[in-house]
């Protein structure tokens, strides 16, 4: 009797696993299609779209939250200003704290919006941010050599 129950449980688990895999694949395909539609409507290049999709996937954000929606959530405007984004986040996030009668859902939307805008700032200023890092690494190497000489 218990063997049959185990077989049924395994079959159900296998079916669930296949269904989940299929759903994830369909969601990825839908996300790619949404990204292509967004790129076509915004005039962005395919590479920009791919970078945005990768950023969204890495952050666990559906492509339905685009930068434009994130800007609306935080009530900031283009051109992106890191200081303004941070100020709006620091105002809105505690305001929606559940312990103060706020909404966890809104708080998480605010958090994800800031996260998405930060990723966009990195994408837009990627070259600017890489150069200082290289200089810092070179300085560290020089300092380490000086320390070893002493």
């Amino acid at each position: 009797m218990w063997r049959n129950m185990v077989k049924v449980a395994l079959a159900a688990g296998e079916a669930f696993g296949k269904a989940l895999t299929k759903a994830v694949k369909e969601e990825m395909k839908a996300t790619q299609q949404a990204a292509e539609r967004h790129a076509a409507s915004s005039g962005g290049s395919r590479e920009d779209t791919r970078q945005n999709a990768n950023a969204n996937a890495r952050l666990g954000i559906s492509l339905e939250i685009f930068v434009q929606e994130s800007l609306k959530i935080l009530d900031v405007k283009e051109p992106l200003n890191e200081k303004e984004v941070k100020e709006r986040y620091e105002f809105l996030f505690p305001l929606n704290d559940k312990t103060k009668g706020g909404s966890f859902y809104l708080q998480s939307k605010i958090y994800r919006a800031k996260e998405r805008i930060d990723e966009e700032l990195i994408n837009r200023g990627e070259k600017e941010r890489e150069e200082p890092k290289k200089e810092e690494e070179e300085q560290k190497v020089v300092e380490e050599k000086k320390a070893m000489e002493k």
Side-chain angles (χ1 to χ4, degrees):
M1 179 77 171
W2 63 272
R3 288 183 186 177
N4 290 337
M5 293 178 113
V6 169
K7 287 180 183 179
V8 169
L10 288 175
E14 185 179 349
F16 177 76
K18 286 181 180 179
L20 181 64
T21 302
K22 183 178 179 183
V24 168
K25 286 179 181 178
E26 288 174 0
E27 180 62 27
M28 289 173 61
K29 186 176 181 181
T31 301
Q32 289 173 346
Q33 291 172 348
E36 289 172 4
R37 283 193 307 273
H38 177 67
S41 67
S42 67
S45 72
R46 191 173 197 117
E47 184 58 33
D48 290 341
T49 303
R50 183 172 290 127
Q51 286 179 348
N52 285 338
N54 288 340
N56 289 334
R58 188 170 50 255
L59 297 173
I61 300 173
S62 167
L63 268 181
E64 299 307 316
I65 277 199
F66 292 105
V67 175
Q68 296 303 320
E69 186 177 347
S70 296
L71 293 173
K72 288 178 185 176
I73 290 170
L74 291 179
D75 192 28
V76 293
K77 297 188 177 14
E78 292 274 1
L80 293 176
N81 179 344
E82 194 170 353
K83 183 179 178 186
E84 181 184 5
V85 170
K86 184 178 179 183
E87 288 173 358
R88 291 299 299 160
Y89 171 78
E90 288 175 351
F91 172 74
L92 292 171
F93 191 79
L95 187 68
N96 287 289
D97 190 2
K98 193 171 182 176
T99 60
K100 297 178 183 175
S103 165
F104 178 72
Y105 173 76
L106 290 176
Q107 198 176 36
S108 64
K109 289 289 268 188
I110 292 164
Y111 179 81
R112 294 295 179 202
K114 181 183 183 302
E115 200 173 37
R116 182 64 186 96
I117 291 173
D118 288 344
E119 190 69 30
E120 184 65 19
L121 285 168
I122 289 170
N123 286 343
R124 290 182 182 183
E126 196 170 37
K127 293 177 183 172
E128 297 170 7
R129 292 181 183 218
E130 285 179 5
E131 291 174 9
K133 286 181 183 178
K134 289 179 183 176
E135 292 173 7
E136 289 175 8
E137 289 175 7
E138 290 174 1
Q139 287 177 344
K140 286 180 183 178
V141 169
V142 170
E143 290 173 5
E144 288 175 4
K145 286 182 180 179
K146 288 181 182 178
M148 288 181 176
E149 290 175 0
K150 290 180 181 180

